[in-house]
Amino acid sequence: MTNDTNGPLDGLVVLEAGSMISGPTVGRFMADFGATVIKIEHPAFGDHIRRFGPQKDGVGLWHKYLSRNKQSITLNISTDEGAAVFEDLVGEADLLIENFRPGTLERWNVGWERLSEVNDDLVMLRLSGFGQTGPYSERPGFGTLAEAMSGFAYLNGFPDSPPLLPPTGLADNIAALFSTFAVMFALYHRDVHGGGGQYIDTSLIEPIFGLLGPQPLRYDQLGAIESRSGNRSTSSAPRNVYRTGDDRWVAISASAQPLAERTFDAIGRPDLKDDPRFETNEDRLEHVDELDAIIQDWMDDHSREEVLDAFEAADATLAPVYNVEDILNDEHYAAREAFLTVDDPDLGEAVVQNAFPKFSETPGRVDHLGPSLGEHNDAVYRDRLGYDESVLSDLEAEDVI
């Protein structure tokens, strides 16, 4: 899909010296909205994301998704020659994204102190498992560890089950979202307030911890540690998933009094509004087992389509539990252009999520999926940096690029 409008980040040059999910997700956000994102990969094996997860005919689908709209170049930064080329690239960049283990770039003599001398306007995003400082900073860090240590896994799951990890890279993606905000804050400071460059230190553990609500405040003020509650909420009821008569699933969230009353209307039980067990939210939480049983009994006698119609008629809050096939067949997702088909040389026609959110004047776009390894070496080294043929030949001969 293409459009005739440059994205809001048009003209911004981003170097992505990252691998796997967190760093490259920041790069994907930037690329979707018009930045020139140059992805640096090792010449021998590239980003490990190319071999991670589902493949089609040897083509990694995670790579195709995360590396979309980016340019791919090869460079071995760990060599002296590669570090010198890296400095040339940094000299042309607005933003550097890296998610190596802390100390790696310093070991290669291209840490923040050196790179800020090369480009004093550089914004450098440093993503790592535990951050650049603290007693755990040098540990290897992955999203799973952050999901465990942040408190998320402890809260997730059912009371009689072990802590439950998410099925996808939740901590990585949350850290990427926080990091993208941070990058834009730093660029605003640089470009609007006349500040210089700076580095940003994002760990995987803190952003997901920050999204768990007032857990520290609750513990500090009340001495309470929230535990697993399954699909229920400890703050409002009804809130759960329910199986419909045709063996499908729906979710209800009635977090305000009018929504609970509309739920009672939807299931044909307006009398529950005056039932002392369910009159207030506190009453409903105290009698949640009875309330869930009443709702489930009604669900047993109705198909999912009938349930959806009844709740829509009552203006009550309910949604179907979708899998990806349901999403791709849903008229609302289609009307919102939430996914699109992109022609890819390896996969043919391929469906991916669109660029979110929607902008009225400078929308994001998906021009292409992840490129082949080193596909843009000439465009970057020859055209952008001005390296001549002899320099490129020497770099290739020495396995630097």
Side-chain angles (χ1 to χ4, degrees):
M1 176 183 178
T2 60
N3 58 54
D4 297 326
T5 304
N6 291 329
L9 299 183
D10 182 52
L12 195 76
V13 178
V14 178
L15 292 182
E16 182 191 296
S19 64
M20 294 302 288
I21 296 175
S22 60
T25 296
V26 180
R28 180 181 70 79
F29 289 143
M30 308 294 281
D32 279 0
F33 287 94
T36 297
V37 178
I38 301 170
K39 181 175 180 61
I40 300 172
E41 303 185 66
H42 193 282
F45 44 77
D47 187 343
H48 296 295
I49 201 70
R50 290 178 177 271
R51 297 170 296 281
F52 177 77
Q55 313 265 323
K56 181 183 178 183
D57 299 329
V59 177
L61 302 187
W62 265 103
H63 159 68
K64 284 295 181 179
Y65 167 66
L66 275 183
S67 301
R68 70 191 201 182
N69 292 329
K70 301 176 186 177
Q71 299 177 9
S72 170
I73 64 170
T74 53
L75 179 64
N76 185 354
I77 306 172
S78 67
T79 66
D80 291 342
E81 297 84 356
V85 174
F86 187 57
E87 290 184 4
D88 288 344
L89 290 164
V90 166
E92 301 289 319
D94 295 287
L95 168 66
L96 168 63
I97 301 166
E98 69 97 357
N99 63 342
F100 293 105
R101 193 185 299 193
T104 299
L105 291 185
E106 283 74 14
R107 191 168 68 250
W108 298 339
N109 297 314
V110 284
W112 167 249
E113 296 299 327
R114 172 56 186 156
L115 296 181
S116 61
E117 293 176 354
V118 172
N119 181 352
D120 59 8
D121 285 329
L122 179 71
V123 173
M124 182 178 183
L125 171 64
R126 314 200 74 170
L127 269 157
S128 60
F130 300 99
Q132 301 295 312
T133 62
Y136 304 158
S137 61
E138 295 185 5
R139 291 181 180 179
F142 291 92
T144 296
L145 311 188
E147 289 144 11
M149 286 187 64
S150 65
F152 172 83
Y154 183 84
L155 290 173
N156 195 37
F158 288 85
D160 57 352
S161 71
L164 186 63
L165 295 165
T168 190
L170 184 64
D172 292 277
N173 279 284
I174 292 173
L177 286 167
F178 272 71
S179 296
T180 304
F181 299 152
V183 162
M184 298 312 300
F185 299 157
L187 291 171
Y188 185 89
H189 172 72
R190 186 194 73 178
D191 296 341
V192 175
H193 294 306
Q198 60 182 301
Y199 76 87
I200 298 162
D201 175 4
T202 303
S203 74
L204 295 184
I205 58 173
E206 290 155 344
I208 187 170
F209 171 58
L211 287 187
L212 294 183
Q215 299 291 326
L217 187 61
R218 179 179 181 179
Y219 177 73
D220 175 65
Q221 297 296 311
L222 303 176
I225 298 175
E226 186 172 344
S227 58
R228 293 182 290 285
S229 58
N231 289 313
R232 289 175 173 171
S233 169
T234 58
S235 301
S236 64
R239 196 268 197 175
N240 212 327
V241 296
Y242 304 89
R243 190 194 299 266
T244 59
D246 54 350
D247 202 28
R248 306 181 84 177
W249 295 91
V250 294
I252 292 176
S253 178
S255 54
Q257 186 67 22
L259 300 178
E261 293 177 358
R262 292 175 201 165
T263 297
F264 299 153
D265 289 335
I267 65 172
R269 292 294 305 275
D271 58 294
L272 297 179
K273 300 174 190 177
D274 299 319
D275 189 316
R277 297 173 298 171
F278 310 128
E279 281 187 309
T280 69
N281 188 56
E282 290 73 20
D283 296 330
R284 292 190 292 274
L285 285 169
E286 185 178 350
H287 299 278
V288 67
D289 288 340
E290 298 158 84
L291 179 56
D292 274 346
I294 291 169
I295 295 172
Q296 186 59 65
D297 284 345
W298 182 84
M299 293 282 178
D300 289 340
D301 295 330
H302 296 82
S303 68
R304 187 171 76 172
E305 197 62 37
E306 291 170 339
V307 170
L308 293 172
D309 289 343
F311 272 73
E312 184 172 355
D315 199 25
T317 45
L318 173 141
V321 176
Y322 273 175
N323 60 31
V324 69
E325 182 179 17
D326 296 323
I327 292 171
L328 297 182
N329 288 313
D330 183 273
E331 62 180 354
H332 185 78
Y333 276 97
R336 295 275 301 169
E337 297 182 325
F339 49 86
L340 73 162
T341 301
V342 182
D343 287 328
D344 180 77
D346 299 314
L347 302 176
E349 290 191 345
V351 176
V352 294
Q353 297 96 319
N354 210 334
F356 313 133
K358 299 170 77 72
F359 282 50
S360 65
E361 303 302 323
T362 54
R365 58 202 292 172
V366 182
D367 288 333
H368 62 83
L369 301 185
S372 60
L373 182 62
E375 182 176 330
H376 299 92
N377 277 3
D378 277 354
V380 173
Y381 291 131
R382 194 188 310 274
D383 300 338
R384 180 175 288 275
L385 294 186
Y387 287 1
D388 62 28
E389 191 63 40
S390 63
V391 171
L392 291 174
S393 295
D394 288 344
L395 293 174
E396 290 173 354
E398 295 169 2
D399 295 325
V400 175
I401 64 174

